Amino acid sequence: MSADLRTDPWLGTRVHVVGSRQGRPNLPTGECPFCPGGLEAPEPYDVRWFPNRWPPMSDGRCEVVLYSPVHGGSLSGLDDASMAALVDLWADRSAVLGARADVATVLVFENHGREVGATIDHPHGQIYAFDHVPERPLARLRSGWSPESSDALVVEESDGWRTFVPAAPVHPVSLQVAPVSRLHDLPGMDAEQRAAFGRALRRARRRVELLFADPVPTMSWINQRPFDGSFPDAWFNAEIVSPWRSNGVPRYIAAAEVATGEYFNPVVPEDLAERLRSVAP
Ligand SMILES: [Zn+2]
């Protein structure tokens, strides 16, 4: 898995020590490597994946996914066909990686914006394939996560997908997107379900962006059933979070929170849900 995956002996926290990544370029100079004709995308494409050139885990476990050939684009700006093609690519890569005997969890995710570590502006996300189920998804799976929500936290429900704010979010902005009827993973969805998921995810991202005047940094990821056969009843969902508590103002995870693992969130989840409902994606 990692060249050097360590576990804290007292907490059980896993830490991938990846000293090699200190050598990677912070921001590429010159031409964008993700634009058509660039280093990572020599041919024209609509959506595209390739192995991560600076993988934090070995054995082909880390991939990059390009959402669009348009440098200034973003997931929230994709049209229906492009969004569906992106979800299909996520599903295909999940199936390929998930079929490996040494893969349990396929995590599809995106860091959007420099503030959350994106080093290239071209619209893209990543995939990590773990040989185990990491701690946070494992806790959700063990508790039998499902998209239960009070009405005050629901932002939207359409096409069989519900978007809602979690009751106890760690981050000031936090949204969940889940199927109303249980689905497990991307490869198991039919074309219509994937397309509906893509539309719901895109609308949720747009809503978060419309809360703020400036481009908001976001982190998004998909929780899908482990591919090792564990938790056969797992419920698929996606999460979107932002560290911003107001326009341009990030909320840092501070000493008391790092010390205790308990969080102090200045944004009331029910108020966030109301604001998210009031914007028009
Ligand atoms: Zn580009």
Side-chain angles (χ1 to χ4, degrees):
M1 168 108 197
S2 265
D4 192 357
L5 172 59
R6 304 183 190 182
T7 302
D8 181 288
W10 316 110
L11 291 169
T13 307
R14 292 190 183 93
V15 178
H16 301 256
V17 179
V18 282
S20 59
R21 278 171 66 85
Q22 283 291 50
R24 80 186 167 138
N26 241 349
L27 286 171
T29 50
E31 293 188 355
C32 173
F34 297 170
C35 275
L39 177 67
E40 306 285 14
E43 306 294 331
Y45 68 92
D46 294 316
V47 291
R48 174 181 168 81
W49 75 273
F50 55 89
N52 190 322
R53 193 176 286 270
W54 304 90
M57 294 185 285
S58 52
D59 310 326
R61 297 175 181 277
C62 302
E63 300 181 350
V64 177
V65 176
L66 305 182
Y67 296 176
S68 161
V70 180
H71 184 81
S74 75
L75 185 145
S76 63
L78 296 178
D79 63 25
D80 282 354
S82 301
M83 190 71 230
L86 176 58
V87 177
D88 284 343
L89 181 58
W90 286 339
D92 291 348
R93 296 313 305 160
S94 295
V96 169
L97 291 163
R100 286 171 44 167
D102 61 354
V103 168
T105 297
V106 179
L107 180 72
V108 175
F109 68 98
E110 178 186 351
N111 295 312
H112 180 79
R114 299 274 171 91
E115 278 179 56
V116 293
T119 50
I120 296 175
D121 291 332
H122 196 110
H124 72 284
Q126 301 184 60
I127 300 176
Y128 283 1
F130 296 83
D131 67 0
H132 59 276
V133 181
E135 187 177 334
R136 184 175 183 274
L138 186 60
R140 290 164 54 97
L141 290 160
R142 282 181 170 153
S143 66
W145 188 92
S146 74
E148 288 172 17
S149 174
S150 73
D151 288 348
L153 292 170
V154 174
V155 173
E156 176 179 312
E157 190 170 315
S158 62
D159 277 355
W161 291 80
R162 177 180 298 153
T163 300
F164 62 100
V165 177
V170 166
H171 303 279
V173 173
S174 187
L175 258 188
Q176 307 256 355
V177 178
V180 176
S181 299
R182 192 185 314 238
L183 298 170
H184 303 299
D185 53 31
L186 289 167
M189 292 185 204
D190 63 29
E192 198 171 314
Q193 290 163 337
R194 289 181 191 173
F197 167 58
R199 291 193 296 270
L201 183 67
R202 184 183 58 194
R203 287 171 66 84
R205 278 282 292 268
R206 277 189 188 155
R207 284 183 192 275
V208 171
E209 291 169 7
L210 289 167
L211 288 181
F212 302 102
D214 294 333
V216 58
T218 55
M219 295 178 276
S220 308
W221 61 92
I222 289 170
N223 300 306
Q224 49 185 341
R225 180 170 60 184
F227 289 84
D228 61 359
S230 61
F231 301 98
D233 294 333
W235 206 305
F236 178 91
N237 80 308
E239 300 183 69
I240 303 167
V241 305
S242 175
W244 278 12
R245 59 188 181 86
S246 60
N247 191 60
V249 182
R251 177 182 154 278
Y252 294 103
I253 303 294
E257 296 167 311
V258 176
T260 63
E262 297 186 11
Y263 295 87
F264 300 84
N265 188 347
V267 175
V268 178
E270 288 77 9
D271 294 346
L272 173 66
E274 189 174 351
R275 284 163 51 215
L276 286 163
R277 279 194 298 270
S278 72
V279 297

